[in-house]
């Protein structure tokens, strides 16, 4: 494998924004998609996260492909739903973007933990990042499922070898976190501005 598993996402970040600095729908979703192979390497521990992320990407993508010109900018998907008062529906793109952003927050935090706490086990890194990100939005059921899943986290050393390929894995993780964090913060700010950043899961 050329480079690390992060290489395609790092390449994708270069085209995520328009010249005017707006987040573009397809490049943003493509970067999120390029993280799925990384999540795969976690095995059973991340099955829930992967299906959640995959489902939300598909939802946003099918809306985008229904009219690529109209939905070229990511936030346009939400604005249309705000205007038609459908943003709060559970199957809305707004909801999809919100949960996609939160799941990505979790992953960025997890990779940051692997970078900064070299002595932590994988399940320690996962549990800590879950506590800082998704946990506050999850009800008891989702939290319990998550706690059980985290116990299935792979051995850290093996995982790092698998995702490292022949590249600089620590360097790429750092670049990934640095590039992705501002985009996720921008999503949160936008969703908060339209009053949609506080939705919780059942």
């Amino acid at each position: 494998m050329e480079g690390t598993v992060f290489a395609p996402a790092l390449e994708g970040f270069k085209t995520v924004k328009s010249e005017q600095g707006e987040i573009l729908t397809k490049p943003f979703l493509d970067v999120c998609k390029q993280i799925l192979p990384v999540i795969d390497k976690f095995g059973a521990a991340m099955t829930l996260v992967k299906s959640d992320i995959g489902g939300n990407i598909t939802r946003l993508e099918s809306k985008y492909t229904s009219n690529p010109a109209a939905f070229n900018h990511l936030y346009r998907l939400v604005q249309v739903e705000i205007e038609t008062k459908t943003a709060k529906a559970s199957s809305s793109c707004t909801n999809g973007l919100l949960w996609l952003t939160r799941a990505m927050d979790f992953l960025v935090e997890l990779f940051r933990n692997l970078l900064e706490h070299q002595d932590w086990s994988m399940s320690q890194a996962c549990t800590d990042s879950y506590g800082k990100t998704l946990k506050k939005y999850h009800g008891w059921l989702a939290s319990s499922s998550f706690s059980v899943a985290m116990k299935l986290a792979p051995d850290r050393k093996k995982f790092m070898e698998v995702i490292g390929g022949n590249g600089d894995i620590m360097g790429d993780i750092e670049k990934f976190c640095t590039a992705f964090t501002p985009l996720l913060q921008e999503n949160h700010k936008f969703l908060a501005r339209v009053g949609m950043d506080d939705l919780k899961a059942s």
Side-chain angles (χ1 to χ4, degrees):
M1 179 174 69
E2 270 306 301
T4 71
V5 286
F6 289 100
L10 293 175
E11 195 51 41
F13 281 127
K14 297 175 185 169
T15 55
V16 162
K17 287 197 161 187
S18 68
E19 284 175 10
Q20 292 72 39
E22 291 173 292
I23 298 179
L24 299 170
T25 309
K26 189 168 182 334
F28 177 78
L29 294 176
D30 284 348
V31 164
C32 293
K33 254 196 235 166
Q34 279 145 355
I35 301 308
L36 294 176
V38 186
I39 303 172
D40 268 340
K41 306 289 186 255
F42 278 95
M46 290 287 176
T47 310
L48 287 169
V49 176
K50 189 183 176 201
S51 68
D52 194 37
I53 290 173
N56 286 322
I57 291 173
T58 304
R59 182 189 306 182
L60 292 161
E61 220 169 27
S62 60
K63 185 74 172 173
Y64 165 76
T65 46
S66 71
N67 192 339
F71 297 125
N72 188 26
H73 293 136
L74 185 62
Y75 300 156
R76 190 69 200 128
L77 295 167
V78 173
Q79 280 155 340
V80 166
E81 292 180 342
I82 299 281
E83 285 156 20
T84 55
K85 304 207 172 356
T86 53
K88 286 200 156 97
S90 61
S91 60
S92 70
C93 285
T94 307
N95 214 4
L97 178 61
L98 178 67
W99 284 103
L100 180 58
T101 301
R102 287 172 176 175
M104 292 296 167
D105 283 339
F106 163 70
L107 291 173
V108 167
E109 196 60 48
L110 170 54
F111 291 127
R112 204 172 268 134
N113 277 343
L114 292 175
L115 207 55
E116 293 170 5
H117 302 280
Q118 312 265 336
D119 55 329
W120 283 11
S121 72
M122 185 60 93
S123 67
Q124 218 177 334
C126 289
T127 304
D128 179 80
S129 50
Y130 178 65
K132 286 180 185 155
T133 55
L134 286 167
K135 193 173 177 19
K136 57 178 169 285
Y137 306 115
H138 278 172
W140 179 82
L141 193 64
S143 284
S144 312
S145 314
F146 216 91
S147 305
V148 171
M150 290 305 110
K151 290 184 173 57
L152 305 170
D155 172 73
R156 177 184 174 135
K157 188 169 178 298
K158 279 196 194 114
F159 174 78
M160 296 306 268
E161 279 166 13
V162 170
I163 66 170
N166 58 8
D168 167 18
I169 187 60
M170 287 309 196
D172 277 7
I173 287 179
E174 188 159 353
K175 283 184 206 149
F176 173 77
C177 293
T178 305
F180 213 176
T181 302
L183 296 173
L184 298 173
Q185 286 169 343
E186 208 172 307
N187 283 356
H188 281 300
K189 276 190 193 134
F190 171 74
L191 289 160
R193 210 165 50 237
V194 294
M196 294 302 295
D197 202 29
D198 57 350
L199 292 183
K200 289 188 164 43
S202 48

